[in-house]
Amino acid sequence: METRALDSGEAGGVDIVEGGAMSAGEMTAPADDGVPASAGARIPAAGGAPTTADERRARRFATEAVHAGRDDLAHRGLHTPPIDLSTTYPSYDSRAEAARIDAFATTGAEPDGPPVYARLGNPTVARFETALARLEGTESAVAFASGMAALSAVLLVRASLGLRHVVAVRPLYGCSDHLLTAGLLGSEVTWTDPAGIADALRPDTGLVLVESPANPTLAEIDLRAAAHACGSVPLLVDNTFATPVLQRPVEQGARLVLHSATKYLGGHGDVLAGVVACDEEFAGRLRQVRFATGGVLHPLAGYLLLRGLATLPVRVRAASANAAELVRRLAADPRVARVHYPRIGGAMIAFEVHGDPHEVIAGVRLITPAVSLGSVDTLIQHPASISHRIVDADDRRGAGVGDRLLRLSVGLEDVEDLWADLDSALGEPAPARTASGVWHA
């Protein structure tokens, strides 16, 4: 993880961590903006002609965001995906039903034919899973009732194989940190920096967990190097902040990609969900855990998420352009001590203030002071008080989550209105500092 300090000629003596602001033109989707032909080949609720591998290979990322998971609709005489609210499905052939349930118990593969029961799977949710897998470039994806339910399922899958040890790099989302540190699912965690991943591995290590850009400092990890250090141990990357618009971790060697789908994938602050994109073998085990533990996603949430994916590239790029401009202004502002912004860009900013961060929270009027992120409106929060409060104070500060750090999730408002609100909330300019480090009015 790199830190670059800008001198006073660049940004008024303010440090910008993890690279500087990127222009909107530099914030592009990864690779060639296409989607791997092998990704998400399954189209749920068959009945129309699914796209071929060649057709998927030809699609650009923005096109796939709109059409993935919907390929059969026109053949069904539909324009928008139906919402299937059934909890159970009739079957007059109980022998065949038993065979399908036995097959699921063996492999976790989705049962052939019509659905069986809502905990086994839902056609509306399956459309979202297909679409997300295609965007992340994986074979499959498995959706859950929340991001924490998704992470818990991954840990339970590995623990079921006797692999309870986890290697993790801080910072992570505060509740992810707590889940590991407290050992709530019987796991044991070793915290390390990216360079120490290989040395931290043990015979019973079942998972390596990183978040890049990290919540809330936006620190970035070389995912390819991390994947190499993992060897045969699966690397799980929390890709919530970047989304597949900015990076696809499987292209850099990750086996598992985690999203709090509540955030950018949904994008409107009205759905709670999580999802893991992965290979089909791991997906089968995740489905089995989901069935046993009940952390299923509601069909209406699946519908909202599929709708959210259609505008994901547009929303991320527009919000990222706003964020880049706010980074430029914050970096030049004497009231701001340091600005954190990832090299890959994005719509998340973290910044440290010289004054009282709680006064900034209390002073916003347009920006919403609330936990969460990734919505169309701009949100600000104080991580040490909310999202990372559950992390031990020394561990929190050691990971760079200081008491003056604020996290800003930039939305789609006009950037001039956002800056006017921030400018007012930041209050009077900070006093000048002499070379001795003494502050003078």
Side-chain angles (χ1 to χ4, degrees), residues 362-414:
V364 295
R365 294 296 178 264
L366 175 67
I367 297 169
T368 302
V371 73
S372 200
L373 58 105
S375 186
V376 291
D377 60 320
T378 300
L379 308 177
I380 191 169
Q381 67 115 345
H382 182 241
S385 295
I386 305 180
S387 64
H388 289 70
R389 188 69 178 177
I390 201 168
V391 180
D392 176 80
D394 289 338
D395 291 336
R396 186 172 66 230
R397 295 184 185 109
V401 187
D403 294 338
R404 294 183 182 272
L405 183 75
L406 292 167
R407 191 189 74 188
L408 189 70
S409 171
V410 182
L412 303 180
E413 302 94 337
D414 190 287

Short mmCIF file of all heavy atoms in Angstrom, two decimals, residues 362-414:
data_model
loop_
_atom_site.label_atom_id
_atom_site.label_comp_id
_atom_site.label_asym_id
_atom_site.label_seq_id
_atom_site.Cartn_x
_atom_site.Cartn_y
_atom_site.Cartn_z
N ALA A 362 -22.51 17.59 12.04
CA ALA A 362 -23.68 18.36 12.48
C ALA A 362 -23.98 19.53 11.55
O ALA A 362 -25.10 20.04 11.55
CB ALA A 362 -23.44 18.88 13.90
N GLY A 363 -23.00 19.94 10.75
CA GLY A 363 -23.15 21.14 9.95
C GLY A 363 -23.68 20.94 8.54
O GLY A 363 -24.03 21.92 7.88
N VAL A 364 -23.74 19.70 8.07
CA VAL A 364 -24.22 19.49 6.69
C VAL A 364 -25.73 19.68 6.62
O VAL A 364 -26.45 19.41 7.59
CB VAL A 364 -23.82 18.10 6.15
CG1 VAL A 364 -22.31 17.98 6.03
CG2 VAL A 364 -24.37 16.98 7.03
N ARG A 365 -26.19 20.15 5.48
CA ARG A 365 -27.62 20.35 5.27
C ARG A 365 -28.12 19.60 4.04
O ARG A 365 -29.20 19.01 4.06
CB ARG A 365 -27.91 21.85 5.13
CG ARG A 365 -27.66 22.64 6.41
CD ARG A 365 -28.60 22.20 7.51
NE ARG A 365 -28.35 22.90 8.78
CZ ARG A 365 -27.60 22.43 9.76
NH1 ARG A 365 -27.01 21.24 9.63
NH2 ARG A 365 -27.42 23.11 10.88
N LEU A 366 -27.39 19.62 2.96
CA LEU A 366 -27.75 18.87 1.75
C LEU A 366 -27.29 17.42 1.86
O LEU A 366 -28.03 16.49 1.58
CB LEU A 366 -27.14 19.52 0.52
CG LEU A 366 -27.34 18.78 -0.81
CD1 LEU A 366 -28.81 18.79 -1.21
CD2 LEU A 366 -26.47 19.40 -1.90
N ILE A 367 -26.06 17.24 2.27
CA ILE A 367 -25.48 15.90 2.44
C ILE A 367 -26.14 15.23 3.63
O ILE A 367 -26.40 15.85 4.66
CB ILE A 367 -23.96 16.01 2.65
CG1 ILE A 367 -23.30 16.61 1.40
CG2 ILE A 367 -23.35 14.66 3.00
CD1 ILE A 367 -21.85 17.00 1.60
N THR A 368 -26.43 13.94 3.48
CA THR A 368 -27.11 13.20 4.55
C THR A 368 -26.08 12.62 5.53
O THR A 368 -25.19 11.86 5.11
CB THR A 368 -27.95 12.05 3.97
OG1 THR A 368 -28.90 12.58 3.05
CG2 THR A 368 -28.66 11.29 5.06
N PRO A 369 -26.19 12.94 6.81
CA PRO A 369 -25.29 12.34 7.81
C PRO A 369 -25.82 10.97 8.21
O PRO A 369 -26.68 10.85 9.08
CB PRO A 369 -25.34 13.34 8.97
CG PRO A 369 -26.70 13.97 8.87
CD PRO A 369 -27.08 13.95 7.41
N ALA A 370 -25.31 9.94 7.59
CA ALA A 370 -25.85 8.59 7.82
C ALA A 370 -24.80 7.55 7.48
O ALA A 370 -23.94 7.75 6.62
CB ALA A 370 -27.11 8.36 6.97
N VAL A 371 -24.91 6.40 8.14
CA VAL A 371 -24.10 5.24 7.80
C VAL A 371 -24.56 4.70 6.45
O VAL A 371 -25.60 5.10 5.94
CB VAL A 371 -24.22 4.19 8.92
CG1 VAL A 371 -25.58 3.51 8.88
CG2 VAL A 371 -23.09 3.17 8.85
N SER A 372 -23.80 3.79 5.88
CA SER A 372 -24.00 3.20 4.56
C SER A 372 -23.38 4.09 3.48
O SER A 372 -22.78 5.13 3.77
CB SER A 372 -25.47 2.91 4.25
OG SER A 372 -25.56 1.96 3.21
N LEU A 373 -23.52 3.66 2.23
CA LEU A 373 -22.83 4.32 1.13
C LEU A 373 -23.38 3.79 -0.18
O LEU A 373 -24.18 2.87 -0.22
CB LEU A 373 -21.32 4.05 1.21
CG LEU A 373 -20.89 2.57 1.20
CD1 LEU A 373 -20.30 2.17 -0.14
CD2 LEU A 373 -19.91 2.28 2.31
N GLY A 374 -22.94 4.42 -1.27
CA GLY A 374 -23.26 3.91 -2.60
C GLY A 374 -24.61 4.31 -3.13
O GLY A 374 -25.04 3.81 -4.17
N SER A 375 -25.30 5.22 -2.45
CA SER A 375 -26.61 5.63 -2.91
C SER A 375 -26.49 6.80 -3.90
O SER A 375 -25.42 7.38 -4.08
CB SER A 375 -27.48 6.04 -1.72
OG SER A 375 -28.80 6.32 -2.13
N VAL A 376 -27.60 7.15 -4.53
CA VAL A 376 -27.59 8.27 -5.48
C VAL A 376 -27.39 9.59 -4.78
O VAL A 376 -27.00 10.58 -5.41
CB VAL A 376 -28.90 8.30 -6.30
CG1 VAL A 376 -28.98 7.12 -7.25
CG2 VAL A 376 -30.12 8.34 -5.38
N ASP A 377 -27.67 9.66 -3.47
CA ASP A 377 -27.43 10.88 -2.72
C ASP A 377 -26.15 10.73 -1.90
O ASP A 377 -25.69 9.63 -1.61
CB ASP A 377 -28.62 11.22 -1.82
CG ASP A 377 -28.91 10.12 -0.80
OD1 ASP A 377 -28.81 8.93 -1.17
OD2 ASP A 377 -29.22 10.45 0.35
N THR A 378 -25.58 11.86 -1.54
CA THR A 378 -24.29 11.88 -0.85
C THR A 378 -24.48 11.68 0.64
O THR A 378 -25.35 12.31 1.27
CB THR A 378 -23.57 13.20 -1.12
OG1 THR A 378 -23.35 13.32 -2.53
CG2 THR A 378 -22.23 13.26 -0.41
N LEU A 379 -23.67 10.79 1.23
CA LEU A 379 -23.73 10.47 2.65
C LEU A 379 -22.38 10.74 3.29
O LEU A 379 -21.33 10.52 2.67
CB LEU A 379 -24.09 9.00 2.87
CG LEU A 379 -25.33 8.43 2.17
CD1 LEU A 379 -25.46 6.94 2.47
CD2 LEU A 379 -26.58 9.17 2.63
N ILE A 380 -22.40 11.20 4.53
CA ILE A 380 -21.17 11.41 5.28
C ILE A 380 -21.32 10.77 6.65
O ILE A 380 -22.41 10.76 7.23
CB ILE A 380 -20.83 12.92 5.42
CG1 ILE A 380 -19.41 13.11 5.96
CG2 ILE A 380 -21.86 13.65 6.27
CD1 ILE A 380 -18.91 14.55 5.88
N GLN A 381 -20.24 10.19 7.15
CA GLN A 381 -20.28 9.60 8.49
C GLN A 381 -18.89 9.62 9.11
O GLN A 381 -17.88 9.80 8.43
CB GLN A 381 -20.83 8.18 8.45
CG GLN A 381 -19.96 7.18 7.75
CD GLN A 381 -19.41 6.08 8.66
OE1 GLN A 381 -19.44 6.20 9.89
NE2 GLN A 381 -18.89 5.03 8.06
N HIS A 382 -18.86 9.45 10.42
CA HIS A 382 -17.63 9.43 11.21
C HIS A 382 -17.35 7.97 11.58
O HIS A 382 -17.97 7.43 12.50
CB HIS A 382 -17.80 10.30 12.46
CG HIS A 382 -16.59 10.39 13.31
ND1 HIS A 382 -16.56 9.95 14.63
CD2 HIS A 382 -15.35 10.87 13.04
CE1 HIS A 382 -15.36 10.17 15.14
NE2 HIS A 382 -14.61 10.72 14.19
N PRO A 383 -16.44 7.31 10.87
CA PRO A 383 -16.24 5.86 11.08
C PRO A 383 -15.94 5.46 12.51
O PRO A 383 -16.43 4.42 12.99
CB PRO A 383 -15.06 5.54 10.14
CG PRO A 383 -15.16 6.57 9.07
CD PRO A 383 -15.62 7.82 9.76
N ALA A 384 -15.13 6.25 13.22
CA ALA A 384 -14.77 5.88 14.59
C ALA A 384 -15.98 5.86 15.51
O ALA A 384 -15.96 5.19 16.56
CB ALA A 384 -13.71 6.84 15.13
N SER A 385 -17.04 6.56 15.13
CA SER A 385 -18.26 6.60 15.95
C SER A 385 -19.31 5.61 15.51
O SER A 385 -20.18 5.24 16.32
CB SER A 385 -18.88 8.01 15.91
OG SER A 385 -18.03 8.97 16.50
N ILE A 386 -19.27 5.19 14.23
CA ILE A 386 -20.38 4.39 13.72
C ILE A 386 -19.89 3.08 13.08
O ILE A 386 -19.89 2.03 13.71
CB ILE A 386 -21.22 5.21 12.71
CG1 ILE A 386 -21.68 6.53 13.35
CG2 ILE A 386 -22.44 4.40 12.27
CD1 ILE A 386 -22.52 7.40 12.46
N SER A 387 -19.45 3.13 11.84
CA SER A 387 -19.18 1.90 11.09
C SER A 387 -18.06 1.07 11.68
O SER A 387 -18.04 -0.15 11.54
CB SER A 387 -18.88 2.23 9.62
OG SER A 387 -17.70 3.00 9.51
N HIS A 388 -17.10 1.71 12.36
CA HIS A 388 -15.96 0.99 12.93
C HIS A 388 -15.91 1.12 14.45
O HIS A 388 -14.88 0.84 15.06
CB HIS A 388 -14.66 1.47 12.28
CG HIS A 388 -14.52 1.03 10.85
ND1 HIS A 388 -15.31 1.55 9.85
CD2 HIS A 388 -13.74 0.10 10.27
CE1 HIS A 388 -14.99 0.96 8.70
NE2 HIS A 388 -14.05 0.08 8.94
N ARG A 389 -17.01 1.54 15.05
CA ARG A 389 -17.05 1.67 16.51
C ARG A 389 -16.85 0.34 17.20
O ARG A 389 -16.28 0.26 18.31
CB ARG A 389 -18.41 2.26 16.92
CG ARG A 389 -18.48 2.64 18.39
CD ARG A 389 -17.58 3.83 18.67
NE ARG A 389 -17.62 4.28 20.05
CZ ARG A 389 -16.87 5.27 20.52
NH1 ARG A 389 -16.03 5.91 19.70
NH2 ARG A 389 -16.94 5.63 21.77
N ILE A 390 -17.29 -0.72 16.57
CA ILE A 390 -17.24 -2.05 17.16
C ILE A 390 -15.83 -2.63 17.18
O ILE A 390 -15.54 -3.62 17.86
CB ILE A 390 -18.21 -2.99 16.41
CG1 ILE A 390 -18.57 -4.20 17.27
CG2 ILE A 390 -17.62 -3.42 15.05
CD1 ILE A 390 -19.72 -5.01 16.71
N VAL A 391 -14.90 -2.00 16.43
CA VAL A 391 -13.50 -2.45 16.39
C VAL A 391 -12.76 -1.82 17.58
O VAL A 391 -12.95 -0.64 17.90
CB VAL A 391 -12.84 -2.04 15.06
CG1 VAL A 391 -11.37 -2.50 15.02
CG2 VAL A 391 -13.62 -2.62 13.89
N ASP A 392 -11.92 -2.61 18.23
CA ASP A 392 -11.11 -2.10 19.34
C ASP A 392 -10.41 -0.81 18.94
O ASP A 392 -9.87 -0.70 17.82
CB ASP A 392 -10.09 -3.15 19.75
CG ASP A 392 -9.15 -2.66 20.83
OD1 ASP A 392 -9.56 -2.68 22.01
OD2 ASP A 392 -8.03 -2.24 20.48
N ALA A 393 -10.41 0.19 19.82
CA ALA A 393 -9.89 1.52 19.48
C ALA A 393 -8.43 1.47 19.02
O ALA A 393 -8.06 2.15 18.05
CB ALA A 393 -10.04 2.46 20.67
N ASP A 394 -7.60 0.68 19.68
CA ASP A 394 -6.19 0.59 19.28
C ASP A 394 -6.05 -0.07 17.91
O ASP A 394 -5.25 0.37 17.07
CB ASP A 394 -5.38 -0.17 20.32
CG ASP A 394 -5.21 0.61 21.62
OD1 ASP A 394 -5.34 1.85 21.58
OD2 ASP A 394 -4.96 -0.03 22.66
N ASP A 395 -6.83 -1.13 17.68
CA ASP A 395 -6.79 -1.79 16.38
C ASP A 395 -7.31 -0.85 15.29
O ASP A 395 -6.77 -0.81 14.18
CB ASP A 395 -7.65 -3.06 16.40
CG ASP A 395 -7.05 -4.14 17.28
OD1 ASP A 395 -5.83 -4.12 17.50
OD2 ASP A 395 -7.82 -5.01 17.74
N ARG A 396 -8.34 -0.11 15.62
CA ARG A 396 -8.93 0.83 14.67
C ARG A 396 -7.92 1.89 14.27
O ARG A 396 -7.69 2.14 13.08
CB ARG A 396 -10.17 1.46 15.31
CG ARG A 396 -10.97 2.35 14.41
CD ARG A 396 -12.26 2.76 15.08
NE ARG A 396 -12.06 3.61 16.25
CZ ARG A 396 -12.61 3.40 17.44
NH1 ARG A 396 -13.37 2.35 17.65
NH2 ARG A 396 -12.40 4.24 18.45
N ARG A 397 -7.28 2.51 15.25
CA ARG A 397 -6.30 3.55 14.94
C ARG A 397 -5.08 2.97 14.24
O ARG A 397 -4.51 3.60 13.35
CB ARG A 397 -5.89 4.26 16.23
CG ARG A 397 -7.06 5.02 16.89
CD ARG A 397 -6.60 5.81 18.10
NE ARG A 397 -7.74 6.42 18.78
CZ ARG A 397 -8.20 6.03 19.97
NH1 ARG A 397 -7.62 5.02 20.62
NH2 ARG A 397 -9.25 6.63 20.50
N GLY A 398 -4.70 1.75 14.63
CA GLY A 398 -3.56 1.12 13.98
C GLY A 398 -3.79 0.85 12.51
O GLY A 398 -2.85 0.76 11.72
N ALA A 399 -5.06 0.70 12.13
CA ALA A 399 -5.42 0.47 10.72
C ALA A 399 -5.62 1.78 9.96
O ALA A 399 -6.01 1.75 8.79
CB ALA A 399 -6.68 -0.38 10.64
N GLY A 400 -5.37 2.89 10.63
CA GLY A 400 -5.48 4.18 9.96
C GLY A 400 -6.82 4.86 10.11
O GLY A 400 -7.06 5.90 9.49
N VAL A 401 -7.70 4.29 10.93
CA VAL A 401 -9.02 4.88 11.13
C VAL A 401 -8.94 5.80 12.34
O VAL A 401 -9.24 5.43 13.47
CB VAL A 401 -10.10 3.81 11.34
CG1 VAL A 401 -11.49 4.43 11.38
CG2 VAL A 401 -10.03 2.77 10.22
N GLY A 402 -8.48 7.02 12.09
CA GLY A 402 -8.27 7.98 13.16
C GLY A 402 -9.55 8.65 13.61
O GLY A 402 -10.60 8.56 12.97
N ASP A 403 -9.45 9.36 14.73
CA ASP A 403 -10.63 10.00 15.32
C ASP A 403 -11.09 11.23 14.55
O ASP A 403 -12.21 11.71 14.77
CB ASP A 403 -10.35 10.37 16.77
CG ASP A 403 -10.15 9.15 17.65
OD1 ASP A 403 -10.64 8.07 17.27
OD2 ASP A 403 -9.51 9.27 18.72
N ARG A 404 -10.25 11.76 13.66
CA ARG A 404 -10.63 12.93 12.87
C ARG A 404 -10.99 12.57 11.42
O ARG A 404 -11.18 13.44 10.59
CB ARG A 404 -9.51 13.97 12.88
CG ARG A 404 -9.26 14.58 14.26
CD ARG A 404 -8.19 15.65 14.21
NE ARG A 404 -7.92 16.20 15.53
CZ ARG A 404 -8.58 17.22 16.09
NH1 ARG A 404 -9.56 17.79 15.40
NH2 ARG A 404 -8.27 17.65 17.29
N LEU A 405 -11.09 11.28 11.15
CA LEU A 405 -11.37 10.82 9.79
C LEU A 405 -12.87 10.84 9.52
O LEU A 405 -13.68 10.36 10.32
CB LEU A 405 -10.84 9.40 9.61
CG LEU A 405 -10.99 8.80 8.20
CD1 LEU A 405 -9.99 9.42 7.24
CD2 LEU A 405 -10.83 7.29 8.24
N LEU A 406 -13.24 11.38 8.37
CA LEU A 406 -14.62 11.36 7.90
C LEU A 406 -14.69 10.59 6.58
O LEU A 406 -13.75 10.65 5.78
CB LEU A 406 -15.14 12.79 7.68
CG LEU A 406 -15.32 13.63 8.94
CD1 LEU A 406 -15.52 15.09 8.58
CD2 LEU A 406 -16.50 13.12 9.77
N ARG A 407 -15.79 9.88 6.38
CA ARG A 407 -15.98 9.13 5.13
C ARG A 407 -17.14 9.73 4.36
O ARG A 407 -18.22 9.92 4.91
CB ARG A 407 -16.26 7.65 5.44
CG ARG A 407 -16.21 6.75 4.21
CD ARG A 407 -16.72 5.37 4.54
NE ARG A 407 -18.18 5.33 4.70
CZ ARG A 407 -18.86 4.28 5.14
NH1 ARG A 407 -18.22 3.18 5.49
NH2 ARG A 407 -20.18 4.34 5.25
N LEU A 408 -16.89 10.02 3.10
CA LEU A 408 -17.89 10.66 2.24
C LEU A 408 -18.21 9.74 1.07
O LEU A 408 -17.32 9.37 0.29
CB LEU A 408 -17.35 12.00 1.73
CG LEU A 408 -18.32 12.91 0.99
CD1 LEU A 408 -19.37 13.47 1.95
CD2 LEU A 408 -17.56 14.06 0.31
N SER A 409 -19.47 9.36 0.95
CA SER A 409 -19.95 8.61 -0.21
C SER A 409 -20.62 9.61 -1.14
O SER A 409 -21.70 10.13 -0.86
CB SER A 409 -20.96 7.53 0.23
OG SER A 409 -21.59 6.94 -0.88
N VAL A 410 -19.96 9.90 -2.25
CA VAL A 410 -20.41 10.98 -3.13
C VAL A 410 -21.50 10.48 -4.06
O VAL A 410 -21.39 9.42 -4.67
CB VAL A 410 -19.22 11.54 -3.94
CG1 VAL A 410 -19.68 12.70 -4.82
CG2 VAL A 410 -18.10 11.99 -3.00
N GLY A 411 -22.56 11.27 -4.17
CA GLY A 411 -23.69 10.90 -5.00
C GLY A 411 -23.75 11.65 -6.31
O GLY A 411 -22.72 12.08 -6.86
N LEU A 412 -24.96 11.83 -6.79
CA LEU A 412 -25.17 12.36 -8.14
C LEU A 412 -25.64 13.81 -8.17
O LEU A 412 -25.98 14.33 -9.24
CB LEU A 412 -26.19 11.49 -8.88
CG LEU A 412 -25.86 10.00 -8.98
CD1 LEU A 412 -26.96 9.27 -9.74
CD2 LEU A 412 -24.51 9.79 -9.65
N GLU A 413 -25.61 14.49 -7.02
CA GLU A 413 -26.00 15.89 -6.99
C GLU A 413 -25.01 16.74 -7.80
O GLU A 413 -23.92 16.28 -8.16
CB GLU A 413 -26.04 16.41 -5.55
CG GLU A 413 -26.98 15.65 -4.62
CD GLU A 413 -26.30 14.55 -3.84
OE1 GLU A 413 -25.24 14.07 -4.31
OE2 GLU A 413 -26.83 14.15 -2.80
N ASP A 414 -25.37 17.96 -8.08
CA ASP A 414 -24.44 18.88 -8.72
C ASP A 414 -23.27 19.14 -7.78
O ASP A 414 -23.45 19.42 -6.60
CB ASP A 414 -25.14 20.20 -9.06
CG ASP A 414 -24.27 21.08 -9.95
OD1 ASP A 414 -23.28 21.65 -9.43
OD2 ASP A 414 -24.58 21.20 -11.15
#
